[in-house]
Amino acid sequence: MTVQSGSMEPTIKTGSIILIKHVEEHFEYKKGEIITFKASKNSNKIITHRIIEVLKSKTTVQYLTKGDNNFIRDPAPVTEGNIIGKYTGITITHLGNLVSFIQTNTGLYIQLQD
């Protein structure tokens, strides 16, 4: 995953590539772990934030999340079905900036000139 905002700085820097591990269904995450998930109101938006609280009921588990660099928690709890995976702790700093540039018209033009 490419990190496109500073919400997790200084833990994860903007422009980094991070490795995410997909886990089996019904896996229970713990407070403090960093997860990648689909936003509740826009499934095309992918977010990587830290779990600050685990909400358990008899039938469901939900997670309250917050970016390390954000002042307030995310507005909606994350449901199990929206979780993509768990951050592995592996980060390649600034590689995401290069990948994003290559995907622009200018980056494509430079590639075609070689």
Side-chain angles (χ1 to χ4, degrees):
M1 305 296 290
T2 301
V3 178
Q4 298 179 348
S5 81
S7 68
M8 284 300 293
E9 289 194 14
T11 307
I12 304 171
K13 302 227 181 283
T14 305
S16 297
I17 295 264
I18 60 172
L19 273 64
I20 303 298
K21 178 182 179 184
H22 294 278
V23 295
E24 60 192 56
E25 197 173 331
H26 305 298
F27 181 85
E28 283 196 31
Y29 299 91
K30 299 177 184 108
K31 180 179 177 177
E33 291 183 309
I34 298 172
I35 58 173
T36 298
F37 56 93
K38 298 175 189 173
S40 62
K41 297 197 184 230
N42 178 359
S43 63
N44 291 325
K45 182 177 181 181
I46 306 299
I47 301 168
T48 299
H49 280 172
R50 188 178 304 278
I51 296 170
I52 59 169
E53 189 175 342
V54 179
L55 306 172
K56 291 183 182 182
S57 73
K58 290 182 180 182
T59 58
T60 63
V61 177
Q62 295 183 325
Y63 303 93
L64 298 182
T65 56
K66 178 181 156 309
D68 289 357
N69 199 30
N70 293 350
F71 293 108
I72 59 172
R73 71 172 180 84
D74 297 331
V78 178
T79 60
E80 179 183 38
N82 282 5
I83 297 175
I84 295 170
K86 177 181 170 180
Y87 173 55
T88 62
I90 298 172
T91 302
I92 305 170
T93 309
H94 304 300
L95 182 59
N97 289 332
L98 177 62
V99 171
S100 294
F101 173 73
I102 289 170
Q103 294 173 343
T104 66
N105 288 336
T106 304
L108 181 61
Y109 176 78
I110 290 170
Q111 290 177 58
L112 295 174
Q113 297 305 307
D114 289 341

